[in-house]
Amino acid sequence: MGILTPELLIRAYAGGVFPMAESADAKDLLWFDPPFRGVLPLDVFHVPRRLRKTLRHFPFDIRIDSDFRATMMHCAEPAPDRPQTWINDEIREAYCQLHAMGKAHSVECWQDGQMVGGLYGVSLGGAFFGESMFSRATDASKIALVHLVARLKAGGYLLLDTQFLTEHLSQFGATEIPRHRYRAQLSKAVNAPADFYCLEDERALLSDFLQSLTQTS
């Protein structure tokens, strides 16, 4: 597909394709269009009871897009369950350009002036494509995910694409759907209006979201 540009990424995501590198040092990119796609249905998102209690104490300062590049850098760092990263320099620079265009966002957990967890992804219309997350404090990535879902639901998003299904995501209700179903959902979502910056008050956003879960559970 040539040199990775923001425009190429937008076309790829709109068509259901996403890139990864084999390692941080890899020069070539691999493009994926898996037969089964991981998605996290926003209408049945599940927050485990223990995590709900933690969330109500607001253990972190949640910031949106305050340091997108640093979020990517942290996501690319080795972790016990992920010694290798798929984020190389080309991917990092292209996604930072997407962020500058308003097409990529980060949800960040800060504590004592340090970023201790977070995630980032791509936003097209009413579709959000989760790319990676990291955690340097207990529950930090999980809390970032809950804040992301609260924001997506409030902003009118229709699809949260997780690319692959993992055990970590399955506890929140993530599932796999076949490619043809995913593409149908994708087509509808990318053409839907949505607002990632629907509300600036993160505490109010989360409180309303948790209250909605209580009413429907």
Side-chain angles (χ1 to χ4, degrees):
M1 283 191 174
I3 299 174
L4 193 63
T5 64
E7 293 75 18
L8 177 57
L9 281 172
I10 290 171
R11 293 198 304 271
Y13 277 98
V17 182
F18 60 90
M20 298 177 74
E22 288 189 347
S23 70
D25 299 323
K27 301 301 181 183
D28 297 326
L29 296 179
L30 304 175
W31 292 88
F32 293 87
D33 182 14
F36 287 89
R37 195 65 159 248
V39 296
L40 217 171
L42 296 172
D43 56 345
V44 294
F45 184 74
H46 172 69
V47 180
R49 182 173 298 178
R50 183 194 64 80
L51 185 59
R52 291 194 195 194
K53 293 181 180 178
T54 301
L55 284 160
R56 290 190 174 96
H57 289 92
F58 298 98
F60 304 116
D61 174 23
I62 305 298
R63 304 180 189 178
I64 305 299
D65 290 341
S66 75
D67 200 335
F68 182 87
R69 181 178 291 273
T71 304
M72 284 200 72
M73 296 290 288
H74 284 305
C75 286
E77 292 172 353
D81 60 339
R82 188 182 57 196
Q84 291 287 338
T85 181
W86 54 267
I87 303 171
N88 64 6
D89 291 344
E90 185 176 12
I91 285 177
R92 185 174 61 251
E93 293 309 312
Y95 282 77
C96 284
Q97 291 178 49
L98 267 186
H99 170 65
M101 296 167 60
K103 298 293 186 183
H105 302 287
S106 58
V107 179
E108 309 152 12
C109 296
W110 290 74
Q111 190 174 59
D112 299 326
Q114 300 292 323
M115 193 190 303
V116 296
L119 56 82
Y120 75 94
V122 175
S123 177
L124 297 179
F128 191 90
F129 309 85
E131 286 300 311
S132 188
M133 60 176 61
F134 80 97
S135 185
R136 300 291 182 269
T138 302
D139 292 332
S141 63
K142 296 177 182 179
I143 288 173
L145 177 61
V146 175
H147 277 265
L148 171 68
V149 172
R151 182 164 293 276
L152 297 183
K153 291 199 69 173
Y157 282 76
L158 302 179
L159 174 66
L160 174 49
D161 174 0
T162 67
Q163 299 178 345
F164 302 107
L165 179 63
T166 67
E167 183 178 351
H168 176 74
L169 292 171
S170 63
Q171 66 184 301
F172 296 97
T175 187
E176 284 184 326
I177 58 176
R179 183 187 288 136
H180 71 277
R181 282 184 55 200
Y182 170 76
R183 287 185 174 173
Q185 291 185 22
L186 175 65
S187 177
K188 180 180 180 181
V190 296
N191 291 297
D195 181 10
F196 192 80
Y197 298 114
C198 55
L199 190 64
E200 293 185 2
D201 188 337
E202 204 66 37
R203 291 199 171 208
L205 183 70
L206 180 66
S207 296
D208 290 347
F209 177 62
L210 294 178
Q211 182 63 31
S212 72
L213 294 180
T214 302
Q215 294 172 350
T216 57
S217 60

